PDB file of all heavy atoms in Angstrom:
ATOM      1  N   VAL A 108      13.393  -6.017  28.764  1.00  0.00           N
ATOM      2  CA  VAL A 108      13.621  -6.482  30.127  1.00  0.00           C
ATOM      3  C   VAL A 108      13.521  -5.252  31.024  1.00  0.00           C
ATOM      4  O   VAL A 108      13.996  -4.169  30.661  1.00  0.00           O
ATOM      5  CB  VAL A 108      15.036  -7.120  30.247  1.00  0.00           C
ATOM      6  CG1 VAL A 108      15.348  -7.469  31.719  1.00  0.00           C
ATOM      7  CG2 VAL A 108      15.109  -8.390  29.392  1.00  0.00           C
ATOM      8  N   PRO A 109      12.822  -5.346  32.180  1.00  0.00           N
ATOM      9  CA  PRO A 109      12.670  -4.172  33.046  1.00  0.00           C
ATOM     10  C   PRO A 109      13.969  -3.406  33.219  1.00  0.00           C
ATOM     11  O   PRO A 109      15.024  -4.002  33.497  1.00  0.00           O
ATOM     12  CB  PRO A 109      12.163  -4.774  34.355  1.00  0.00           C
ATOM     13  CG  PRO A 109      11.330  -5.938  33.900  1.00  0.00           C
ATOM     14  CD  PRO A 109      12.118  -6.531  32.745  1.00  0.00           C
ATOM     15  N   GLY A 110      13.873  -2.119  33.041  1.00  0.00           N
ATOM     16  CA  GLY A 110      15.033  -1.247  33.067  1.00  0.00           C
ATOM     17  C   GLY A 110      15.522  -0.851  31.671  1.00  0.00           C
ATOM     18  O   GLY A 110      16.359   0.057  31.546  1.00  0.00           O
ATOM     19  N   GLY A 111      14.987  -1.521  30.656  1.00  0.00           N
ATOM     20  CA  GLY A 111      15.411  -1.216  29.292  1.00  0.00           C
ATOM     21  C   GLY A 111      15.090   0.189  28.854  1.00  0.00           C
ATOM     22  O   GLY A 111      15.927   0.889  28.247  1.00  0.00           O
ATOM     23  N   LEU A 112      13.889   0.661  29.179  1.00  0.00           N
ATOM     24  CA  LEU A 112      13.521   2.036  28.825  1.00  0.00           C
ATOM     25  C   LEU A 112      14.447   3.037  29.559  1.00  0.00           C
ATOM     26  O   LEU A 112      14.855   4.050  28.999  1.00  0.00           O
ATOM     27  CB  LEU A 112      12.074   2.337  29.216  1.00  0.00           C
ATOM     28  CG  LEU A 112      10.954   1.967  28.241  1.00  0.00           C
ATOM     29  CD1 LEU A 112       9.622   2.417  28.791  1.00  0.00           C
ATOM     30  CD2 LEU A 112      11.196   2.585  26.870  1.00  0.00           C
ATOM     31  N   GLU A 113      14.709   2.728  30.814  1.00  0.00           N
ATOM     32  CA  GLU A 113      15.549   3.633  31.610  1.00  0.00           C
ATOM     33  C   GLU A 113      16.953   3.740  31.010  1.00  0.00           C
ATOM     34  O   GLU A 113      17.524   4.829  30.987  1.00  0.00           O
ATOM     35  CB  GLU A 113      15.617   3.104  33.049  1.00  0.00           C
ATOM     36  CG  GLU A 113      14.346   3.311  33.865  1.00  0.00           C
ATOM     37  CD  GLU A 113      13.239   2.276  33.583  1.00  0.00           C
ATOM     38  OE1 GLU A 113      13.452   1.422  32.697  1.00  0.00           O
ATOM     39  OE2 GLU A 113      12.189   2.340  34.235  1.00  0.00           O
ATOM     40  N   LYS A 114      17.500   2.628  30.522  1.00  0.00           N
ATOM     41  CA  LYS A 114      18.839   2.661  29.917  1.00  0.00           C
ATOM     42  C   LYS A 114      18.868   3.525  28.645  1.00  0.00           C
ATOM     43  O   LYS A 114      19.913   4.056  28.290  1.00  0.00           O
ATOM     44  CB  LYS A 114      19.279   1.248  29.584  1.00  0.00           C
ATOM     45  CG  LYS A 114      19.591   0.394  30.802  1.00  0.00           C
ATOM     46  CD  LYS A 114      20.016  -1.020  30.405  1.00  0.00           C
ATOM     47  CE  LYS A 114      20.322  -1.876  31.631  1.00  0.00           C
ATOM     48  NZ  LYS A 114      20.687  -3.267  31.273  1.00  0.00           N
ATOM     49  N   MET A 115      17.702   3.643  28.007  1.00  0.00           N
ATOM     50  CA  MET A 115      17.601   4.459  26.798  1.00  0.00           C
ATOM     51  C   MET A 115      17.370   5.927  27.144  1.00  0.00           C
ATOM     52  O   MET A 115      17.282   6.780  26.248  1.00  0.00           O
ATOM     53  CB  MET A 115      16.460   3.978  25.901  1.00  0.00           C
ATOM     54  CG  MET A 115      16.642   2.589  25.369  1.00  0.00           C
ATOM     55  SD  MET A 115      15.095   1.903  24.688  1.00  0.00           S
ATOM     56  CE  MET A 115      14.641   3.164  23.534  1.00  0.00           C
ATOM     57  N   GLY A 116      17.250   6.245  28.421  1.00  0.00           N
ATOM     58  CA  GLY A 116      16.935   7.613  28.838  1.00  0.00           C
ATOM     59  C   GLY A 116      15.474   7.941  28.694  1.00  0.00           C
ATOM     60  O   GLY A 116      15.086   9.109  28.608  1.00  0.00           O
ATOM     61  N   LEU A 117      14.625   6.895  28.670  1.00  0.00           N
ATOM     62  CA  LEU A 117      13.187   7.079  28.507  1.00  0.00           C
ATOM     63  C   LEU A 117      12.420   6.480  29.686  1.00  0.00           C
ATOM     64  O   LEU A 117      11.469   5.746  29.512  1.00  0.00           O
ATOM     65  CB  LEU A 117      12.725   6.411  27.214  1.00  0.00           C
ATOM     66  CG  LEU A 117      13.304   6.991  25.911  1.00  0.00           C
ATOM     67  CD1 LEU A 117      12.853   6.146  24.715  1.00  0.00           C
ATOM     68  CD2 LEU A 117      12.857   8.431  25.724  1.00  0.00           C
ATOM     69  N   SER A 118      12.849   6.820  30.867  1.00  0.00           N
ATOM     70  CA  SER A 118      12.145   6.312  32.063  1.00  0.00           C
ATOM     71  C   SER A 118      10.731   6.890  32.074  1.00  0.00           C
ATOM     72  O   SER A 118      10.448   7.898  31.421  1.00  0.00           O
ATOM     73  CB  SER A 118      12.877   6.765  33.318  1.00  0.00           C
ATOM     74  OG  SER A 118      12.791   8.178  33.475  1.00  0.00           O
ATOM     75  N   PRO A 119       9.809   6.262  32.791  1.00  0.00           N
ATOM     76  CA  PRO A 119       8.456   6.811  32.881  1.00  0.00           C
ATOM     77  C   PRO A 119       8.400   8.262  33.316  1.00  0.00           C
ATOM     78  O   PRO A 119       7.593   9.040  32.818  1.00  0.00           O
ATOM     79  CB  PRO A 119       7.768   5.888  33.889  1.00  0.00           C
ATOM     80  CG  PRO A 119       8.454   4.563  33.686  1.00  0.00           C
ATOM     81  CD  PRO A 119       9.898   4.920  33.438  1.00  0.00           C
ATOM     82  N   ASP A 120       9.297   8.686  34.217  1.00  0.00           N
ATOM     83  CA  ASP A 120       9.325  10.071  34.642  1.00  0.00           C
ATOM     84  C   ASP A 120       9.651  10.997  33.469  1.00  0.00           C
ATOM     85  O   ASP A 120       9.028  12.062  33.313  1.00  0.00           O
ATOM     86  CB  ASP A 120      10.359  10.279  35.760  1.00  0.00           C
ATOM     87  CG  ASP A 120       9.903   9.670  37.091  1.00  0.00           C
ATOM     88  OD1 ASP A 120       8.678   9.395  37.215  1.00  0.00           O
ATOM     89  OD2 ASP A 120      10.750   9.494  37.968  1.00  0.00           O
ATOM     90  N   VAL A 121      10.620  10.594  32.658  1.00  0.00           N
ATOM     91  CA  VAL A 121      10.988  11.379  31.483  1.00  0.00           C
ATOM     92  C   VAL A 121       9.832  11.428  30.505  1.00  0.00           C
ATOM     93  O   VAL A 121       9.499  12.477  29.928  1.00  0.00           O
ATOM     94  CB  VAL A 121      12.254  10.792  30.841  1.00  0.00           C
ATOM     95  CG1 VAL A 121      12.513  11.457  29.469  1.00  0.00           C
ATOM     96  CG2 VAL A 121      13.466  10.950  31.743  1.00  0.00           C
ATOM     97  N   LEU A 122       9.207  10.270  30.261  1.00  0.00           N
ATOM     98  CA  LEU A 122       8.108  10.189  29.310  1.00  0.00           C
ATOM     99  C   LEU A 122       6.908  11.006  29.761  1.00  0.00           C
ATOM    100  O   LEU A 122       6.270  11.690  28.957  1.00  0.00           O
ATOM    101  CB  LEU A 122       7.694   8.721  29.107  1.00  0.00           C
ATOM    102  CG  LEU A 122       8.754   7.833  28.432  1.00  0.00           C
ATOM    103  CD1 LEU A 122       8.280   6.359  28.414  1.00  0.00           C
ATOM    104  CD2 LEU A 122       9.050   8.306  27.020  1.00  0.00           C
ATOM    105  N   HIS A 123       6.601  10.970  31.040  1.00  0.00           N
ATOM    106  CA  HIS A 123       5.463  11.743  31.554  1.00  0.00           C
ATOM    107  C   HIS A 123       5.760  13.239  31.628  1.00  0.00           C
ATOM    108  O   HIS A 123       4.838  14.046  31.582  1.00  0.00           O
ATOM    109  CB  HIS A 123       5.014  11.190  32.907  1.00  0.00           C
ATOM    110  CG  HIS A 123       4.206   9.943  32.783  1.00  0.00           C
ATOM    111  ND1 HIS A 123       4.320   8.882  33.666  1.00  0.00           N
ATOM    112  CD2 HIS A 123       3.270   9.564  31.885  1.00  0.00           C
ATOM    113  CE1 HIS A 123       3.482   7.925  33.289  1.00  0.00           C
ATOM    114  NE2 HIS A 123       2.828   8.315  32.232  1.00  0.00           N
ATOM    115  N   ALA A 124       7.006  13.609  31.738  1.00  0.00           N
ATOM    116  CA  ALA A 124       7.377  15.010  31.622  1.00  0.00           C
ATOM    117  C   ALA A 124       7.127  15.503  30.198  1.00  0.00           C
ATOM    118  O   ALA A 124       6.729  16.650  29.964  1.00  0.00           O
ATOM    119  CB  ALA A 124       8.841  15.225  32.026  1.00  0.00           C
ATOM    120  N   LEU A 125       7.347  14.603  29.259  1.00  0.00           N
ATOM    121  CA  LEU A 125       7.152  14.907  27.836  1.00  0.00           C
ATOM    122  C   LEU A 125       5.661  14.868  27.467  1.00  0.00           C
ATOM    123  O   LEU A 125       5.170  15.670  26.681  1.00  0.00           O
ATOM    124  CB  LEU A 125       7.906  13.873  26.993  1.00  0.00           C
ATOM    125  CG  LEU A 125       8.099  14.107  25.516  1.00  0.00           C
ATOM    126  CD1 LEU A 125       8.940  15.349  25.270  1.00  0.00           C
ATOM    127  CD2 LEU A 125       8.751  12.870  24.895  1.00  0.00           C
ATOM    128  N   ASN A 126       4.929  13.926  28.084  1.00  0.00           N
ATOM    129  CA  ASN A 126       3.530  13.717  27.761  1.00  0.00           C
ATOM    130  C   ASN A 126       2.817  13.224  29.037  1.00  0.00           C
ATOM    131  O   ASN A 126       2.750  12.015  29.296  1.00  0.00           O
ATOM    132  CB  ASN A 126       3.404  12.664  26.648  1.00  0.00           C
ATOM    133  CG  ASN A 126       1.985  12.454  26.190  1.00  0.00           C
ATOM    134  OD1 ASN A 126       1.015  12.828  26.836  1.00  0.00           O
ATOM    135  ND2 ASN A 126       1.827  11.798  25.026  1.00  0.00           N
ATOM    136  N   PRO A 127       2.277  14.154  29.833  1.00  0.00           N
ATOM    137  CA  PRO A 127       1.732  13.788  31.138  1.00  0.00           C
ATOM    138  C   PRO A 127       0.619  12.756  31.107  1.00  0.00           C
ATOM    139  O   PRO A 127       0.401  12.013  32.070  1.00  0.00           O
ATOM    140  CB  PRO A 127       1.202  15.129  31.689  1.00  0.00           C
ATOM    141  CG  PRO A 127       2.017  16.160  30.972  1.00  0.00           C
ATOM    142  CD  PRO A 127       2.228  15.608  29.598  1.00  0.00           C
ATOM    143  N   ALA A 128      -0.160  12.685  30.003  1.00  0.00           N
ATOM    144  CA  ALA A 128      -1.303  11.796  29.946  1.00  0.00           C
ATOM    145  C   ALA A 128      -0.958  10.439  29.316  1.00  0.00           C
ATOM    146  O   ALA A 128      -1.849   9.603  29.124  1.00  0.00           O
ATOM    147  CB  ALA A 128      -2.427  12.435  29.139  1.00  0.00           C
ATOM    148  N   LEU A 129       0.315  10.193  29.044  1.00  0.00           N
ATOM    149  CA  LEU A 129       0.710   8.980  28.376  1.00  0.00           C
ATOM    150  C   LEU A 129       0.459   7.737  29.210  1.00  0.00           C
ATOM    151  O   LEU A 129       0.800   7.679  30.387  1.00  0.00           O
ATOM    152  CB  LEU A 129       2.204   9.042  28.017  1.00  0.00           C
ATOM    153  CG  LEU A 129       2.773   7.881  27.184  1.00  0.00           C
ATOM    154  CD1 LEU A 129       2.242   7.935  25.755  1.00  0.00           C
ATOM    155  CD2 LEU A 129       4.298   7.929  27.184  1.00  0.00           C
ATOM    156  N   VAL A 130      -0.154   6.703  28.574  1.00  0.00           N
ATOM    157  CA  VAL A 130      -0.292   5.404  29.171  1.00  0.00           C
ATOM    158  C   VAL A 130       0.858   4.540  28.683  1.00  0.00           C
ATOM    159  O   VAL A 130       1.052   4.356  27.474  1.00  0.00           O
ATOM    160  CB  VAL A 130      -1.660   4.772  28.794  1.00  0.00           C
ATOM    161  CG1 VAL A 130      -1.723   3.313  29.264  1.00  0.00           C
ATOM    162  CG2 VAL A 130      -2.792   5.576  29.371  1.00  0.00           C
ATOM    163  N   ILE A 131       1.644   4.000  29.624  1.00  0.00           N
ATOM    164  CA  ILE A 131       2.825   3.219  29.308  1.00  0.00           C
ATOM    165  C   ILE A 131       2.564   1.757  29.661  1.00  0.00           C
ATOM    166  O   ILE A 131       2.498   1.402  30.859  1.00  0.00           O
ATOM    167  CB  ILE A 131       4.061   3.716  30.033  1.00  0.00           C
ATOM    168  CG1 ILE A 131       4.225   5.234  29.818  1.00  0.00           C
ATOM    169  CG2 ILE A 131       5.317   2.960  29.601  1.00  0.00           C
ATOM    170  CD1 ILE A 131       5.295   5.868  30.715  1.00  0.00           C
ATOM    171  N   ALA A 132       2.407   0.924  28.678  1.00  0.00           N
ATOM    172  CA  ALA A 132       2.199  -0.515  28.920  1.00  0.00           C
ATOM    173  C   ALA A 132       3.543  -1.203  28.854  1.00  0.00           C
ATOM    174  O   ALA A 132       4.212  -1.282  27.819  1.00  0.00           O
ATOM    175  CB  ALA A 132       1.257  -1.094  27.870  1.00  0.00           C
ATOM    176  N   ARG A 133       3.963  -1.749  30.005  1.00  0.00           N
ATOM    177  CA  ARG A 133       5.272  -2.379  30.120  1.00  0.00           C
ATOM    178  C   ARG A 133       5.042  -3.905  30.275  1.00  0.00           C
ATOM    179  O   ARG A 133       4.604  -4.387  31.328  1.00  0.00           O
ATOM    180  CB  ARG A 133       6.047  -1.824  31.317  1.00  0.00           C
ATOM    181  CG  ARG A 133       6.097  -0.304  31.337  1.00  0.00           C
ATOM    182  CD  ARG A 133       7.163   0.218  32.269  1.00  0.00           C
ATOM    183  NE  ARG A 133       8.508   0.003  31.733  1.00  0.00           N
ATOM    184  CZ  ARG A 133       9.633   0.450  32.299  1.00  0.00           C
ATOM    185  NH1 ARG A 133       9.565   1.160  33.427  1.00  0.00           N
ATOM    186  NH2 ARG A 133      10.803   0.209  31.737  1.00  0.00           N
TER     187      ARG A 133
END
Side-chain angles (χ1 to χ4, degrees):
V108 174
L112 275 184
E113 287 79 357
K114 290 179 181 178
M115 296 166 55
L117 296 174
S118 68
D120 288 344
V121 171
L122 294 174
H123 281 141
L125 192 65
N126 184 344
L129 185 70
V130 172
I131 307 170
R133 310 197 72 175

